[in-house]
Structures are given as C-alpha cells and as structure tokens.
Amino acid sequence: MTLAYETVSENRSFGGVQGVYRHQSQATGTPMTFAVYLPPQAQHGKVPVLWYLSGLTCTHENAMTKAGAQEWAAEFGIALIFPDTSPRGDGVANDDAYDLGQGAGFYVDATQEPWAPHFKMWHYITHELPELVFGNFPLDRDAQGITGHSMGGHGALTIAMTFPQRYKSVSAFAPIAHPSESDWGRKQFTAYLGEDKAAWAAHDATLLMRERGYPGEILIDQGASDQFLHLLKPEALAHAMAERRQPGTIRMQEGYDHSYFFVQTFIPDHIRWHAERL
C-alpha cells in the first residue's frame, strides 16, 4: 500500500494547521481528497484523533469549513480527519439522484454493478486512509474516536460497533439510525449490496446495537425539528439501546434542524466528550 500523498493546501488555524491532501487510492481506484487538522499540541508529539464522517452530497470540505470544530480541537489537543464521502471522477458510476452515487457512498463496500469497481468506502475509511494518515502525521493510533453527521453518523456508529477496540469513543449528529427500514438505506443498500438483507445488517446501527452494542458510552444529538426525522429513525436506535441497556445519551434538541447550524451548536460538547475518553 502506498503512503504517498500530495498537499493541496495548508492554513494556520487556532495555532494549528488545517491541511487538505490528495492521494491515489487503491481501494477506490481513484484520487481521493481528505483533510487533517493538527492542533498546536501536535508540534510536540502524537495527539489523539477524531474522525468526522460527513453526510449526503458532502466532500471533505463541508465539515472542515462549516462545523467550527478546529477551535475546540485546538483547545483539547485533538486532531480531526475529514474524509470524502465517495469516489469521484470520470469513469466513476453516478446517479441523477443526490442520495446515490458520487457524494453518497454510505460507507459500504459495493458488491453490485456498476458500483463495485470504485465504491469501496468501508475499506477506504477503516483500512487504507488510516494507514496513510498514521504513517505520515503525528497521530496516536491508540487514541481514536469517531463521529459524523447524517449518513456520516450512520457510518460512525456502524464502524465503531464493528471495531470497538480501535475506536475508544463514538458520537453522532442526526445519524441515519435504521437504514434497513428507511428510504435513506433501502435504496442505497439494494443498489450497492444487492437484495440480500443479511448483507445490509452489518451496516445498520439499530441492528448492530441489538446484536452487539458498544463497550463504551454513546452520545447522539438529534434536532427535534429535523426535516428528515422520518428517514433517520432515531426512535428505533433509542429502543434498541434501551433493550440492550446500552450506556449512552440521545438528546432531542428542541428547534434544531438537520443543518450545519445544528452541528456547530453541539460540536463543542462532542469534542469534549471524545477528549474525556481519549
């Protein structure tokens, strides 16, 4: 596996450095862009890592510029990693709908045509990109947390429950909590993974919660005025957590919607949450 990458940009931010980088991915067979924020503490040694997975239509840039996370990452001495949400470019399958194809990888490894050649986002996020960033940046591999918004919250929860020894902390903003029973899930899982619902279960946070749970606490914030609540299905995950006696908190935030104004408001709580556990 190549660890080579190129620097797209680097900017000073809250005493640290916000960088954007590009590399040739073996997992997707395409160039992939990602962002890393290194807090000022990284000048003196390895720092904990918080992965932030973004939602539908997003690139690495959305959370990097809209979440307001760098100030709090600098305060708590945590690095932030913002991956892209899918492969992109000429020759990469796409769809006219915003919720399938480029910008909508759903953090799975596609097995169906025309998606299978490039849509390997599970492998990319859990294997290839970690090897690259830990091989090139002053990051503590033993202190990783993961979070995300919407489709990215789905990815964060499913990845953390699959690799609980790797991710010491997990949180989510308005995650797609039960995709097997939502139009944000059934459509994409059928396209990427086929009709066999057994293959879907490994990527459904509610089903994973029922099956295995997570060894630590979980923090989830959900806007009570979210226009996509009927697609997110937080009540299904809440019920599964209650059945399992899963330690954690789901907070319904009155008046908040699905936007990055919601994320900006609660990102300090989430970074503090991860800092306490990392």
Side-chain angles (χ1 to χ4, degrees), residues 1-123:
M1 179 181 296
T2 178
L3 298 179
Y5 68 96
E6 62 176 302
T7 300
V8 177
S9 64
E10 288 184 332
N11 298 94
R12 197 76 168 160
S13 177
F14 295 99
V17 176
Q18 178 61 69
V20 177
Y21 310 97
R22 184 182 297 115
H23 73 114
Q24 183 64 35
S25 168
Q26 294 182 14
T28 68
T30 66
M32 293 292 288
T33 303
F34 65 97
V36 177
Y37 176 71
L38 292 177
Q41 294 87 342
Q43 299 173 39
H44 308 293
K46 293 182 178 181
V47 293
V49 180
L50 179 59
W51 294 82
Y52 184 106
L53 305 186
S54 290
L56 290 166
T57 76
C58 291
T59 69
H60 70 280
E61 187 175 18
N62 295 72
M64 181 185 79
T65 59
K66 295 180 180 180
Q70 290 86 349
E71 177 180 3
W72 306 101
E75 178 175 335
F76 290 103
I78 291 179
L80 304 170
I81 302 177
F82 305 101
D84 203 347
T85 57
S86 79
R88 302 177 188 274
D90 295 339
V92 176
N94 202 12
D95 191 271
D96 291 337
Y98 74 94
D99 58 358
L100 187 67
Q102 296 186 35
F106 259 77
Y107 304 102
V108 302
D109 283 351
T111 58
Q112 307 298 303
E113 296 297 331
W115 314 104
H118 300 293
F119 280 72
K120 303 294 185 184
M121 290 304 295
W122 180 268
H123 186 83

Side-chain angles (χ1 to χ4, degrees), residues 5-266:
Y5 68 96
E6 62 176 302
T7 300
V8 177
S9 64
E10 288 184 332
N11 298 94
R12 197 76 168 160
S13 177
F14 295 99
V17 176
Q18 178 61 69
V20 177
Y21 310 97
R22 184 182 297 115
H23 73 114
Q24 183 64 35
S25 168
Q26 294 182 14
T28 68
T30 66
M32 293 292 288
T33 303
F34 65 97
V36 177
Y37 176 71
L38 292 177
Q41 294 87 342
Q43 299 173 39
H44 308 293
K46 293 182 178 181
V47 293
V49 180
L50 179 59
W51 294 82
Y52 184 106
L53 305 186
S54 290
L56 290 166
T57 76
C58 291
T59 69
H60 70 280
E61 187 175 18
N62 295 72
M64 181 185 79
T65 59
K66 295 180 180 180
Q70 290 86 349
E71 177 180 3
W72 306 101
E75 178 175 335
F76 290 103
I78 291 179
L80 304 170
I81 302 177
F82 305 101
D84 203 347
T85 57
S86 79
R88 302 177 188 274
D90 295 339
V92 176
N94 202 12
D95 191 271
D96 291 337
Y98 74 94
D99 58 358
L100 187 67
Q102 296 186 35
F106 259 77
Y107 304 102
V108 302
D109 283 351
T111 58
Q112 307 298 303
E113 296 297 331
W115 314 104
H118 300 293
F119 280 72
K120 303 294 185 184
M121 290 304 295
W122 180 268
H123 186 83
Y124 178 72
I125 294 296
T126 63
H127 292 91
E128 185 178 25
L129 188 56
E131 289 306 309
L132 190 156
V133 296
F134 287 111
N136 287 287
F137 297 91
L139 308 174
D140 186 351
R141 188 187 289 266
D142 295 325
Q144 297 183 65
I146 191 166
T147 189
H149 175 228
S150 193
M151 179 183 72
H154 138 79
L157 292 170
T158 58
I159 288 171
M161 282 189 274
T162 304
F163 300 100
Q165 300 309 311
R166 181 189 304 183
Y167 300 97
K168 308 300 184 186
S169 57
V170 60
S171 71
F173 300 86
I176 302 173
H178 196 12
S180 296
E181 297 298 329
S182 168
D183 288 341
W184 272 358
R186 286 182 298 226
K187 170 185 176 179
Q188 294 82 3
F189 287 176
T190 300
Y192 296 145
L193 303 174
E195 299 283 353
D196 182 6
K197 291 189 176 182
W200 302 5
H203 301 285
D204 186 308
T206 294
L207 299 182
L208 286 173
M209 179 57 63
R210 292 173 186 166
E211 176 191 344
R212 64 182 71 172
Y214 179 74
E217 296 177 273
I218 295 174
L219 172 62
I220 296 172
D221 272 310
Q222 172 63 63
S225 297
D226 193 315
Q227 59 271 45
F228 302 114
L229 265 176
H230 63 293
L231 296 167
L232 302 173
K233 300 190 178 298
E235 66 281 359
L237 180 58
H239 187 67
M241 290 176 65
E243 283 185 333
R244 192 174 184 83
R245 308 295 192 266
Q246 170 69 47
T249 302
I250 298 180
R251 307 190 300 191
M252 294 296 291
Q253 302 291 0
E254 183 178 1
Y256 285 90
D257 59 15
H258 200 68
S259 71
Y260 264 95
F261 295 108
F262 159 65
V263 175
Q264 287 173 5
T265 302
F266 299 104

